[in-house]
Amino acid sequence: MLTAWLYVGIFLVVAVLLPAVAIALAGILAPKKSNPIKTSVYECGIEVVGPARVQIKAQYYIYAMVFLVFDVEMVLLFPWAVAFKQLPLFAVFEGILFLLILLGGLFYAWRKGALEWF
Amino acid sequence: MTNWLEDPIRWIAEWLYSVLVGWGILPSVADVILMITGAAILSTLALLWVLFLIWFERKLIGRIQDRFGPNRVGPWGIFQSVADMIKIFTKEYITPQGADKVLYNLAPVLAVASVLLIWAVLPFTRSIMGVNLNVGVVYIVAVGGGGVLAILMAGYASNNKYAFLGASRAVAQLISYEVPMVISLLVPVLLAGSMGLNDIVQAQSVPYLVMAPVAALVFFITSMAETGRAPFDLVEAESELVAGYNTEYSGLKFGMFFVGEFLHSFTAALLFAVLFLGGWRGPFVDQVPLLGLVYLFIKTMVIYFLIILVRASVPRFRIDQMMDLNWKVLTPLSILSFLVTAVIAKVLEGQFLFQVLGLLAGNVILLVLFMEWGERRNKRNRRPMVSQPRPLATPASDETSMAQS
């Protein structure tokens, strides 16, 4: 098992190195003629107005919160799904109850208007 | 020692191992060297494969839109993307003023790395695969999260409003579509009883497309959305956001985002083939394991072709439509399909044929009922028309009477 994760670690290093080396190589080959107008931020040709990190809709945060709840519960379901074949009927119904509560949560969020995009 | 005709790649690996040990290198070090070689070859091949994918997609979309597509460089323009790559290598990097240098340079690397890392666990044949991780499916989801991070980093670090808006849209879209994707991934895990991808392939004596068509459909749509391609390409909607999160990128840094996107959609097709179409399974695969590679390739290309076809024929969604599709259609549908699968698989446990037929029937019934429910909801929630219907132009009455008489 440890060697499996060793392979993943090696793969991570290779996967990061390949694009990084390519980008560095291209950086050596590429011309370097910079000037202030070239490096100015693009905003349809006009001069930049205000900071770039503007405020975004509050809706994004609500979606993120709903996502967080669901994702955590999904991760909880993975061990249940792996052990499914050995589970007795009772444990299966417990899992189903959990899912139904999850579905109830989705409909609650829906009814409360958390899933609307204004 | 395996026979090299049966499984040449494994044969080469074993030969290399014996050579290294013969040189007096410790077996554990030889293992590590083999792993590094394997990882380097696999990821280099994956990146080179993208050159073909780009040509393939441009050619196909050209044909669909009644154009020729690339046809100048090489036969059928097949070296077009090689020429493009050479060109992009010699392009200047323009870093915008006020950019966050570290995040700005890290983002394209991470965008490619997060996709490449998925290849570490893909089973190509029975024996050729990086590693059969026992948490394979969770690993894929976790690594896929790196792509979201890369887009957010790129958009935030660029110091550009379009890039920032594109990135926040991307995060909203990608994390939302992760929910139904993970639930639909749970179905093959449940049916196979394992999270390792090779175990899932080995368990598919009947492809899971037959046993769980609803989950397959949900996975197909969500993985298309996860790659951020049309019709889900709000991330880089060029009519609204210039180019979205990669507006300020140039040269190979932009190229890396491009490569990452193409590789991601191919990887999504590969994953679909592995999880729902039986991966390397096919006739005579027990005698000649290398045939598995061919089967996997054919299945993947069929799915990839479908993805391109959808891209070429469906217009882009509006953001509220896209969110509605995810939270009000795909998420409840995937939870319900998981429920149905769990109940039927448990009730009909032991009789395999009945289990397959029961799952198929249950899924079809679920899909029909769900679509009926959606249709009713749509009818109920249909917005009233804002403007009155225009009065139809009617011919003058004397003319009509003349015509009638």
Side-chain angles (χ1 to χ4, degrees), chain B residues 70-140:
Chain B
N71 65 351
R72 293 285 148 170
V73 193
W76 312 293
I78 200 165
F79 295 125
Q80 181 66 51
S81 27
V82 178
D84 286 346
M85 195 192 68
I86 293 169
K87 186 192 122 181
I88 214 167
F89 247 90
T90 57
K91 286 288 166 187
E92 184 181 355
Y93 291 144
I94 301 166
T95 312
Q97 288 161 5
D100 190 328
K101 288 270 162 46
V102 178
L103 294 185
Y104 181 83
N105 290 320
L106 210 57
V109 175
L110 191 61
V112 176
S114 70
V115 183
L116 268 184
L117 272 176
I118 296 177
W119 285 59
V121 295
L122 288 175
F124 295 104
T125 72
R126 185 189 298 280
S127 52
I128 304 168
M129 67 176 307
V131 49
N132 190 18
L133 274 188
N134 57 1
V135 289
V137 173
V138 176
Y139 170 84
I140 287 169

Side-chain angles (χ1 to χ4, degrees), chain A residues 23 39 42 49 53 87 116, chain B residues 93 97 156 161 248 346:
Chain A
I23 287 174
T39 61
Y42 176 74
V49 182
R53 280 112 204 191
L87 288 180
E116 302 295 329
Chain B
Y93 291 144
Q97 288 161 5
Y156 178 80
K161 286 183 192 116
E248 290 290 352
K346 201 66 193 176

Side-chain angles (χ1 to χ4, degrees), chain A residues 6-85:
Chain A
L6 178 68
Y7 180 77
V8 173
I10 289 172
F11 211 97
L12 174 67
V13 173
V14 171
V16 169
L17 272 183
L18 266 178
V21 166
I23 287 174
L25 262 179
I28 294 168
L29 284 173
K32 290 170 204 64
K33 284 183 196 156
S34 189
N35 64 49
I37 294 180
K38 202 188 256 179
T39 61
S40 64
V41 175
Y42 176 74
E43 207 165 290
C44 295
I46 56 165
E47 282 191 20
V48 179
V49 182
R53 280 112 204 191
V54 288
Q55 284 193 328
I56 53 171
K57 283 163 86 86
Q59 208 60 34
Y60 286 111
Y61 300 104
I62 297 173
Y63 276 119
M65 245 164 344
V66 178
F67 158 77
L68 209 59
V69 174
F70 273 87
D71 218 37
V72 170
E73 301 194 26
M74 284 307 112
V75 171
L76 285 178
L77 273 173
F78 267 107
W80 181 79
V82 171
F84 182 76
K85 281 185 180 163

Side-chain angles (χ1 to χ4, degrees), chain B residues 57 61 173 221 223-225 227-236 238 261 265 306-317:
Chain B
E57 178 152 352
I61 286 193
Q173 172 187 337
I221 297 172
S223 59
M224 211 148 51
T227 55
R229 318 215 30 193
F232 299 99
D233 61 346
L234 289 136
V235 175
E236 40 194 310
E238 57 266 40
E261 187 193 311
S265 50
L306 267 180
I307 290 179
I308 297 178
L309 214 59
V310 171
R311 180 196 151 157
S313 45
V314 182
R316 183 181 297 138
F317 284 119

